[in-house]
């Protein structure tokens, strides 16, 4: 990967290649800084990754649902673990977005694995992928699942990278269990509940009904999972969903994950769309809010920044040009530059006025 140069001047975060103009938008960081940093990012030699996937079948019943409402679930996960050259820094936990699954982020997980030399953990959230189903879904419960996973793996602290709802699970966990989070990267999300976010939620619920209607129109003896992944069904669904999901990338991922998430559980938990009010909770460690410039996860208006910094006073902000909800897909190199530099920066040294160079 090309040599990277990171600078902060007058409270602004700059990210650019050393040999070409920046494709990352300059965004006000309000306070705090990455400092001057020159870093060569070169993937080390390949290592055999240790992948562990845990499955737990769950059959829903009224008895189990009442118990699950007050308990955490055992999540399915995949991990990439290094050998003797492993970094001493905390592992990186990557949490997918709503209607996603861990397989959607294996590529970015492997890239961060090589770039940072850290262990990587990719869980499936409840009602997603291979994790158990439950009628109960909330930020609190899904955060509790993460806490249980980290406890079971004896991970005392992690660097959390969350996408969409995954970012909000990370924010909730950081606020209520700050001892478990070393630093936090929130991608295409924030604690700000906007009208745009509510409209996206309504469109998602309508998308579930569209898929249900299409399924009933197909006279097929195929198992439902096979039907949902058939080319004929996907072509019809793509056309039907265009008014509701206008991003080609997001729509394609949504369709590829059909039968991999529990739609009825999502639909019957309407508070999932909004971040809960958590008074008197503050996470004082570094947080990076990152999104594409075509995604309205947050703005640099005083109102949004005050809301974010109420919970996360040491916040940093990056908007990547020509990218939308999934900046790691639209502008992969710029995404990796921003995330890796943030995760590897020694903020304590910067706060003490020391120069950071690798």
């Amino acid at each position: 990967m090309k040599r990277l140069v990171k600078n902060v001047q007058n409270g602004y975060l700059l990210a650019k290649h050393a040999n070409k103009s920046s494709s990352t938008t300059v965004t006000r960081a309000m306070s705090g800084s990455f400092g001057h940093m020159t870093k060569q990012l070169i993937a080390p030699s390949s290592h055999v990754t240790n992948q562990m996937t845990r499955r737990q079948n769950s059959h829903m019943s009224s008895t189990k649902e009442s118990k699950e409402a007050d308990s955490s679930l055992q999540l399915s996960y995949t991990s990439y673990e290094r050998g003797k050259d492993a970094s001493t820094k905390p592992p990186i936990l990557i949490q997918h977005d709503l209607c996603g699954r861990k397989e959607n982020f294996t590529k970015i997980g492997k890239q961060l694995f090589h770039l940072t030399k850290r262990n990587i953990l990719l869980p499936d959230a409840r009602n997603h992928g291979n994790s158990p189903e439950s009628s109960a879904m909330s930020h609190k419960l899904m955060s509790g699942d993460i806490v249980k996973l980290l406890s079971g793996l004896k991970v005392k602290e992690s660097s959390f990278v969350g996408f969409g709802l995954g970012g909000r699970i990370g924010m909730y966990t950081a606020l209520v269990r700050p001892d478990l989070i070393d630093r936090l990267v929130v991608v295409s999300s924030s604690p700000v509940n906007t009208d745009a976010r509510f409209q996206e939620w309504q469109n998602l619920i309508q998308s579930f009904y569209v898929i249900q209607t299409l399924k009933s129109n197909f006279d097929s003896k195929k198992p439902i999972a096979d039907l949902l992944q058939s080319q004929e069904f996907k072509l019809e669904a793509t056309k039907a969903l265009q008014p509701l999901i206008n991003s080609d990338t997001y729509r394609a991922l949504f369709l590829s994950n059909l039968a991999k998430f529990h739609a009825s559980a999502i639909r019957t938990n309407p508070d999932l769309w909004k971040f809960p009010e958590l008074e008197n909770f503050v996470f004082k460690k570094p947080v990076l809010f990152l999104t594409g410039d075509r995604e309205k996860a947050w703005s640099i208006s005083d109102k949004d920044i005050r809301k974010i910094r109420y919970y996360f006073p040491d916040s940093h902000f990056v908007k990547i040009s020509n990218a939308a909800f999934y900046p790691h897909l639209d502008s992969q190199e710029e995404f990796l530059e921003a995330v890796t530099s943030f995760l590897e920066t020694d903020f304590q040294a910067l706060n003490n006025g020391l120069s950071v160079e690798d």
Side-chain angles (χ1 to χ4, degrees):
M1 185 176 287
K2 297 182 181 69
R3 180 173 293 273
L4 309 179
V5 177
K6 302 290 178 181
N7 282 305
V8 169
Q9 297 174 351
N10 301 324
Y12 287 88
L13 169 64
L14 311 181
K16 64 181 181 179
H17 293 303
N19 63 345
K20 69 177 183 178
S21 60
S22 174
S23 61
T24 304
T25 303
V26 178
T27 306
R28 190 69 185 266
M30 300 302 291
S31 70
S33 66
F34 285 111
H36 179 70
M37 181 177 182
T38 302
K39 189 174 185 67
Q40 181 76 32
L41 298 181
I42 302 177
S45 57
S46 298
H47 290 262
V48 177
T49 60
N50 174 28
Q51 294 193 11
M52 298 179 291
T53 302
R54 295 183 177 181
R55 298 168 179 259
Q56 178 175 329
N57 295 323
S58 174
H59 299 285
M60 298 178 64
S61 65
S62 58
T63 302
K64 290 194 69 175
E65 287 171 4
S66 62
K67 291 181 178 179
E68 288 173 351
D70 299 314
S71 64
S72 301
L73 303 182
Q74 185 69 50
L75 300 180
S76 168
Y77 70 95
T78 295
S79 69
Y80 304 118
E81 299 181 359
R82 302 192 71 92
K84 295 181 180 179
D85 70 335
S87 170
T88 58
K89 295 180 180 179
I92 299 171
L93 189 153
I94 303 174
Q95 184 62 67
H96 63 74
D97 55 324
L98 190 64
C99 301
R101 53 191 171 117
K102 60 183 182 295
E103 286 80 8
N104 300 149
F105 296 91
T106 52
K107 182 178 180 181
I108 205 73
K110 290 177 180 178
Q111 289 169 325
L112 288 173
F113 172 76
H114 288 296
L115 291 170
T116 66
K117 295 186 178 182
R118 300 203 208 182
N119 294 336
I120 305 293
L121 186 63
L122 297 101
D124 276 328
R126 63 169 61 198
N127 292 312
H128 292 76
N130 296 320
S131 284
E133 293 182 356
S134 169
S135 63
M137 284 186 77
S138 67
H139 291 78
K140 180 179 180 180
L141 288 172
M142 298 172 85
S143 172
D145 296 339
I146 294 297
V147 172
K148 181 174 182 175
L149 176 65
L150 294 177
S151 176
L153 296 175
K154 301 187 185 306
V155 174
K156 295 181 179 180
E157 193 175 41
S158 70
S159 294
F160 197 110
V161 180
F163 294 76
L165 178 64
R168 289 189 158 191
I169 296 171
M171 287 187 287
Y172 192 100
T173 306
L175 289 169
V176 301
R177 288 296 308 271
D179 57 305
L180 294 178
I181 307 297
D182 165 63
R183 58 189 64 182
L184 174 63
V185 178
V186 180
V187 184
S188 296
S189 189
S190 81
V192 181
N193 298 318
T194 64
D195 292 339
R197 276 285 176 258
F198 180 63
Q199 185 60 55
E200 289 173 1
W201 170 263
Q202 290 185 313
N203 288 348
L204 177 64
I205 301 304
Q206 288 300 314
S207 298
F208 292 160
Y209 287 114
V210 168
I211 295 300
Q212 188 64 37
T213 301
L214 286 176
K215 285 193 299 184
S216 63
N217 291 340
F218 274 77
D219 184 16
S220 175
K221 296 182 180 179
K222 292 181 180 180
I224 190 63
D226 293 341
L227 171 63
L228 294 177
Q229 295 303 313
S230 68
Q231 192 64 24
E232 183 182 6
F233 183 88
K234 284 187 175 182
L235 286 173
E236 291 294 325
T238 296
K239 295 177 184 177
L241 291 175
Q242 281 180 346
L244 297 170
I245 307 176
N246 53 27
S247 167
D248 294 340
T249 302
Y250 190 94
R251 188 170 57 251
L253 278 172
F254 176 81
L255 290 173
S256 71
N257 290 331
L258 289 178
K260 300 295 184 179
F261 58 83
H262 191 36
S264 64
I266 297 172
R267 189 179 66 248
T268 54
N269 285 278
D271 286 342
L272 273 180
W273 83 270
K274 60 183 178 179
F275 191 74
E277 294 291 335
L278 295 173
E279 295 184 4
N280 302 319
F281 285 89
V282 177
F283 182 72
K284 297 181 179 179
K285 300 174 190 176
V287 181
L288 174 63
F289 288 91
L290 186 153
T291 188
D293 62 352
R294 301 198 304 267
E295 172 63 29
K296 297 179 180 179
W298 43 264
S299 70
I300 56 173
S301 68
D302 288 343
K303 182 179 179 180
D304 281 8
I305 296 301
R306 281 199 302 269
K307 178 71 172 182
I308 292 171
R309 294 184 65 79
Y310 173 82
Y311 292 121
F312 307 102
D314 191 8
S315 295
H316 308 262
F317 304 87
V318 173
K319 282 197 175 185
I320 297 179
S321 296
N322 301 315
F325 187 83
Y326 292 116
H328 68 296
L329 297 178
D330 298 328
S331 301
Q332 178 179 287
E333 189 171 343
E334 287 77 9
F335 175 85
L336 286 170
E337 289 173 5
V339 172
T340 303
S341 295
F342 174 79
L343 292 178
E344 297 303 296
T345 294
D346 187 343
F347 286 94
Q348 185 173 2
L350 291 177
N351 292 335
N352 292 334
L354 300 179
S355 174
V356 180
E357 290 194 6
D358 292 319

